[in-house]
Amino acid sequence: MKNLYSEDAFTGLEAAIVLIAFVVVAAVFSYVVLGAGFFTSQTAQATVHTGVQQASSSIELVGNVYGIGNSGDTSTFLHYVNTTVALTAGGTAMDMSQMVVSYNDGTTNLPSMTMDTDITCPATIAAGYTKWCVADRINANADDLLEPNEQFIIAIGLPSTTTANTKFTINLQPAVGAVLPITRTVPGGIRGVQPLY
């Protein structure tokens, strides 16, 4: 008797099933690869945006840093420093009340100095008074928001260890943006007002 069923048809069906399985596996694999690629590109995009925001929100020094000693002719240590800051070119507005100011001279380490909101600052900064304030605003309104084309004169109180020939570092850390380090050396003879280098 003749066989009515052909083995060739069965082999074709097997090949079709294997082909469909390969197509499904390839589709799942490509979906996973594309999803990982999209996730990676979104993460990279978020990193770039954060970096641009931080870089564009930095502050810079404008002019000299001045050390203020005793109102008399001589003093044993600096009472405070005055420095002028402004936004870097293209920077976005920055809330100065959120800024962290730290001080270190090798002997004294102040990781976070308090902002003094007294309207008479820096007159309230006495000897050894380790707070900081916005002493004056140039081209600015009365708020603590440093905006483009504005300058703030910041007075930073210093501890009594800021004596002659002492090297110290003050870090200005905005809420968003890079740290602005100010490293200066107190001169050998301290007067009422002197530029620091």
Side-chain angles (χ1 to χ4, degrees), residues 40-56:
T40 303
S41 66
Q42 287 173 348
T43 304
Q45 182 181 15
T47 303
V48 168
H49 285 304
T50 303
V52 167
Q53 181 182 15
Q54 288 185 353
S56 66

Side-chain angles (χ1 to χ4, degrees), residues 15-147:
I17 291 172
V18 170
L19 178 65
I20 291 171
F22 277 132
V23 168
V24 169
V25 169
V28 170
F29 180 71
S30 65
Y31 176 76
V32 169
V33 169
L34 286 175
F38 288 142
F39 175 76
T40 303
S41 66
Q42 287 173 348
T43 304
Q45 182 181 15
T47 303
V48 168
H49 285 304
T50 303
V52 167
Q53 181 182 15
Q54 288 185 353
S56 66
S57 298
S58 296
I59 56 176
E60 64 181 352
L61 288 179
V62 178
N64 290 329
V65 176
Y66 291 96
I68 312 298
N70 194 359
S71 58
D73 290 338
T74 59
S75 181
T76 57
F77 67 95
L78 290 180
H79 292 194
Y80 64 95
V81 295
N82 268 353
T83 183
T84 305
V85 296
L87 295 175
T88 56
T92 57
M94 182 180 304
D95 186 3
M96 297 300 281
S97 66
Q98 302 297 318
M99 185 171 69
V100 175
V101 177
S102 62
Y103 171 89
N104 189 356
D105 64 12
T107 304
T108 303
N109 183 27
L110 303 170
S112 179
M113 299 170 75
T114 307
M115 181 180 182
D116 187 356
T117 56
D118 191 345
I119 195 166
T120 60
C121 177
T124 56
I125 296 181
Y129 185 74
T130 55
K131 291 189 176 184
W132 71 277
C133 68
V134 178
D136 199 6
R137 294 165 174 83
I138 301 169
N139 296 329
N141 48 20
D143 62 14
D144 289 331
L145 195 64
L146 180 61
E147 298 172 309

